Amino acid sequence: MKIFEFSAKTSMKEIDHIRHRIDLGNDTFATGKISYEKVDELCRVLREFEEIMRSYKVEDYRAYGTSAIRETENTMIVLDQIQQRTGIHIDVLSNSEQRFLDYKSIALKGQDFNKIIEKGTAIVDVGGGSIQVSLFDKDTLVATQNLRLGVLRLQELLNKLNARPAKYEGLLEEMIDSQLSVFKKLYLKDRIVENIIIVDDYVSTLIQKRLTGSQTPGYVDSASYGVFMEALRSHTKEEVAAHFGVSVESLPLIFISAVLIYNVAKLMEAKLLWAPGVTLCDGIAYEYAEKNKIIGPKHDFEQDIVACARNISKRFMGSRRRGETLEHICVTIFDSMKKVHGLGKRERLLLRIAALLHDCGKYISMVNLGECSYSIVMSTEIIGLSHREREIVANVVKYNHQDFDYYEELGTTTTLDTQSYLTIAKLTAILRVANGLDRSHKQKFRDFRTTLKEDQLIITVNTAEDITLERGLFEAKASFFEEVFSLHPVIKQKKL
């Protein structure tokens, strides 16, 4: 737990940091459930945290669960136990939300972060259940992938193998390399990665203390990291613990994380590793301050989400020109209808992503385009989006190509709440109209504008080209828009 003070003068200031380690993931990854003993200990610690918050007169808090809670079979029971016994409400983050908050915590480092991502950079975010590898090229997020190689998960696998400690590194490398080799084929290819940013609860603290050969706390070159690995291999646990000032009990997890990072760095041939020493708590505080307009954005995170969607489209052979045309048409219509649709900035972002991924299903089938597009979006992680938001995008993409399913027809088959369903209907209506305006896929409109006039949405297009196809097929796309918004979209052509 971290306590922060927010003010106009200091913006964001860390007041206290209280830490208690409970490896909940050991139970989750071994048995699928968190044991009563661990829940009991967790509740006791959270009650103590609650008392500390009260002593600081804390006005607001955020409490999140990650993979250990997310992947357990009895999530709802555990969350209810915590709420009843401690009064603390815990929200469970999806993997993409969790990693995005970790990413935001790094951006808190401002100048260091912006400087390091000018060159090819990978963020390696090591958790208990998995690691997230995100690639930057010229300060733009180009790809992100989750690999089930978390520290606690790997420790549980080692325990099942009953191997001698001397064999641990070899076994870990076999388990790690099998997944990293696939990642390399899909994402690295000719990409040059010079820097690695490390986010973890294990090795980062040691790099912060400055490893042998490091000139600056938090930074270490690949050669010095190799020396650090050799020290872990060649010395006893007691010697390593004494040298780095850590407990002997924490060393097995430190070793697993160190081997993970070493293998990633070796695969990418990185020259420099940076451990900014941030935690998920920093990202949570940053997001809170950003949402409450206490601090201004230090980095354009929305563009990172859009860049991620563009790269997903590229991976599934989507047309970049077509996607960007639809995106432009969609946001123009969206912005001109703010008083009608009642949606906000976040929904605008979801519409942009849906426009970019509108035809990704063609990669699988030209016939079942809607269902295939839905499956691709739901199976592909888009960093920064919650599971609910990803489901909204997936449905918008699906219904762009097939008949809309009404909420009453879906019945018990849907997990969507009514608000999400209405968002899907509104965004689908806009995307269908945008799709109708570029039915030939030839981007005929050099310039266009939209105007609301009584019960019509006037779309004025400037083009000298023949738009007979667009006009002829537009009504079919426009009918659903009229049903959702009670506005009739009309195309007016101005010939250049």
Side-chain angles (χ1 to χ4, degrees):
M1 177 173 70
K2 285 192 175 186
I3 308 283
F4 287 88
E5 180 183 76
F6 300 104
S7 67
K9 185 179 180 181
T10 60
S11 191
M12 209 175 121
K13 181 181 178 183
E14 184 181 323
I15 302 297
D16 205 351
H17 183 189
I18 305 96
R19 186 184 179 107
H20 180 97
R21 181 181 290 281
I22 310 172
D23 292 326
L24 299 175
N26 283 338
D27 284 358
T28 297
F29 308 134
T31 67
K33 294 181 181 180
I34 299 175
S35 66
Y36 168 78
E37 290 78 15
K38 289 281 178 71
V39 173
D40 205 43
E41 184 183 358
L42 176 60
C43 288
R44 178 180 58 78
V45 172
L46 289 178
R47 279 196 298 270
E48 291 174 4
F49 279 9
E50 201 274 335
E51 288 175 11
I52 294 168
M53 283 195 284
R54 207 178 312 128
S55 71
Y56 275 106
K57 295 183 171 57
V58 166
E59 294 178 1
D60 201 359
Y61 75 91
R62 293 288 182 275
Y64 290 128
T66 56
S67 60
I69 301 283
R70 187 170 61 239
E71 295 186 33
T72 189
E73 293 173 11
N74 58 342
T75 299
M76 297 307 294
I77 293 172
V78 170
L79 293 178
D80 183 65
Q81 280 279 307
I82 294 169
Q83 176 100 44
Q84 298 302 323
R85 295 171 63 179
T86 69
I88 292 176
H89 173 76
I90 293 180
D91 290 309
V92 180
L93 295 171
S94 68
N95 180 70
S96 59
E97 288 176 302
Q98 175 191 340
R99 306 304 180 167
F100 200 56
L101 285 176
D102 282 335
Y103 172 32
K104 284 189 170 184
S105 70
I106 303 167
L108 268 174
K109 296 295 180 178
Q111 194 173 351
D112 284 343
F113 173 67
N114 292 328
K115 185 178 179 181
I116 206 165
I117 62 172
E118 286 174 1
K119 296 181 179 178
T121 300
I123 296 178
V124 181
D125 185 355
V126 182
S130 62
I131 68 169
Q132 190 84 14
V133 183
S134 303
L135 298 175
F136 283 83
D137 188 14
K138 295 176 183 174
D139 75 14
T140 300
L141 181 68
V142 293
T144 184
Q145 184 62 47
N146 186 251
L147 307 172
R148 292 171 78 83
L149 293 170
V151 172
L152 295 175
R153 196 185 298 276
L154 289 173
Q155 184 187 47
E156 186 55 37
L157 286 171
L158 287 175
N159 291 340
K160 286 180 179 178
L161 295 172
N162 291 319
R164 289 180 288 108
K167 288 191 172 185
Y168 278 8
E169 185 171 2
L171 291 169
L172 283 170
E173 285 182 351
E174 284 188 48
M175 290 188 281
I176 294 165
D177 287 348
S178 63
Q179 292 198 44
L180 288 183
S181 60
V182 176
F183 177 84
K184 182 177 182 179
K185 286 178 185 176
L186 289 173
Y187 298 103
L188 291 180
K189 297 179 182 177
D190 299 325
R191 197 178 300 282
I192 297 171
V193 178
E194 292 194 21
N195 308 313
I196 289 179
I197 302 173
I198 302 166
V199 180
D200 81 332
D201 288 330
Y202 313 99
V203 175
S204 288
T205 52
L206 306 188
I207 298 177
Q208 280 284 312
K209 292 178 181 178
R210 193 183 298 181
L211 298 180
T212 304
S214 170
Q215 301 300 312
T216 310
Y219 290 84
V220 60
D221 60 40
S222 56
S224 298
Y225 192 81
V227 173
F228 163 65
M229 284 300 302
E230 188 55 42
L232 291 182
R233 296 185 195 108
S234 59
H235 291 80
T236 65
K237 287 182 181 179
E238 289 72 20
E239 288 171 336
V240 173
H243 180 75
F244 290 110
V246 295
S247 67
V248 173
E249 292 76 19
S250 66
L251 279 177
L253 299 179
I254 289 174
F255 182 72
I256 293 172
S257 187
V259 172
L260 252 173
I261 293 163
Y262 180 70
N263 278 269
V264 173
K266 189 168 62 173
L267 176 84
M268 296 180 178
E269 299 179 5
K271 297 174 183 176
L272 182 70
L273 290 84
W274 175 43
V278 293
T279 69
L280 182 63
C281 290
D282 297 294
I284 295 168
Y286 179 97
E287 185 173 71
Y288 179 87
E290 198 178 31
K291 281 184 177 178
N292 287 278
K293 296 182 170 54
I294 298 166
I295 60 172
K298 296 179 183 291
H299 181 80
D300 192 345
F301 294 104
E302 186 171 297
Q303 278 307 112
D304 287 326
I305 299 172
V306 172
C308 194
R310 284 200 177 104
N311 279 282
I312 293 167
S313 175
K314 183 180 178 182
R315 194 191 322 159
F316 290 103
M317 309 300 287
S319 165
R320 177 170 181 170
R321 194 175 164 194
R322 161 80 169 159
E324 289 179 350
T325 298
L326 280 192
E327 181 190 3
H328 175 60
I329 296 172
C330 282
V331 296
T332 302
I333 294 171
F334 184 96
D335 291 345
S336 68
M337 293 176 55
K338 287 179 182 178
K339 292 180 181 178
V340 178
H341 57 57
L343 302 176
K345 187 180 177 184
R346 193 67 180 179
E347 287 77 20
R348 187 179 188 271
L349 172 63
L350 299 183
L351 178 61
R352 292 179 69 190
I353 296 168
L356 291 168
L357 299 177
H358 73 283
D359 63 350
C360 60
K362 286 180 182 177
Y363 186 82
I364 300 172
S365 171
M366 298 283 284
V367 178
N368 299 317
L369 185 51
E371 288 294 343
C372 291
S373 297
Y374 175 89
S375 297
I376 285 174
V377 174
M378 288 304 293
S379 303
T380 308
E381 194 162 68
I382 304 172
I383 193 165
L385 298 192
S386 66
H387 179 83
R388 171 186 162 274
E389 289 174 326
R390 190 165 37 154
E391 195 168 359
I392 288 172
V393 171
N395 276 291
V396 173
V397 169
K398 179 172 82 170
Y399 293 127
N400 178 49
H401 301 289
Q402 65 187 55
D403 291 343
F404 195 80
D405 292 317
Y406 293 99
Y407 198 70
E408 293 74 13
E409 295 170 354
L410 293 171
T412 57
T413 61
T414 182
T415 57
L416 291 166
D417 58 78
T418 52
Q419 190 60 48
S420 299
Y421 170 81
L422 289 171
T423 299
I424 292 167
K426 291 174 183 179
L427 298 186
T428 300
I430 294 171
L431 182 56
R432 283 187 180 184
V433 166
N435 207 4
L437 288 171
D438 190 36
R439 197 69 191 88
S440 63
H441 292 210
K442 290 183 177 179
Q443 294 83 50
K444 293 178 181 178
F445 308 141
R446 293 182 186 176
D447 184 31
F448 75 98
R449 66 179 187 274
T450 56
T451 312
L452 285 175
K453 189 176 180 181
E454 296 177 355
D455 60 349
Q456 289 185 329
L457 176 71
I458 310 296
I459 303 166
T460 307
V461 297
N462 294 331
T463 182
E465 295 194 43
D466 182 6
I467 62 168
T468 304
L469 179 66
E470 281 74 15
R471 282 189 184 280
L473 299 176
F474 188 69
E475 281 303 314
K477 296 288 184 182
S479 60
F480 186 66
F481 184 94
E482 190 169 6
E483 179 184 342
V484 172
F485 296 115
S486 295
L487 288 172
H488 182 65
V490 178
I491 299 177
K492 287 191 176 180
Q493 183 180 10
K494 281 191 176 180
K495 294 190 177 182
L496 296 173

